Amino acid sequence: MKTKLKVTVSHERCMGSTTCVFLASDSFILTNENKAEFIGQNNSLDAIKEAAENCPVNAIRVEIE
Ligand code: SF4
């Protein structure tokens, strides 16, 4: 069974580095305002966690639901 995640991106913190988009490209997009948005759990748990861990401003929060 797939672990269900609740992922939030702080737009206050996000500075558009695109790291998360690069590491989990099916789960994060960059908006026109250069802010990342979580669009769905379309990558593996590990990839999404890696994206969160590598965000330079710690803007991504991952919780297991
Ligand atoms: S890695 Fe962090 S700062 Fe970079 S785009 Fe994603 S949320 Fe924004």
Side-chain angles (χ1 to χ4, degrees):
M1 202 180 74
K2 192 160 133 179
T3 308
K4 202 158 179 271
L5 300 177
K6 185 180 174 197
V7 180
T8 48
V9 180
S10 163
H11 280 186
E12 298 226 316
R13 285 174 174 247
C14 175
M15 38 76 106
S17 72
T18 70
T19 310
C20 58
V21 180
F22 181 73
L23 292 171
S25 60
D26 294 324
S27 301
F28 295 93
I29 56 158
L30 208 65
T31 67
N32 290 339
E33 288 84 41
N34 257 352
K35 302 288 178 188
E37 217 158 77
F38 183 70
I39 54 166
Q41 197 176 335
N42 303 317
N43 291 94
S44 67
L45 173 61
D46 282 351
I48 292 170
K49 272 184 167 170
E50 205 189 339
E53 282 161 12
N54 284 286
C55 172
V57 291
N58 216 6
I60 305 171
R61 188 163 164 194
V62 179
E63 293 166 274
I64 293 171
E65 288 210 307

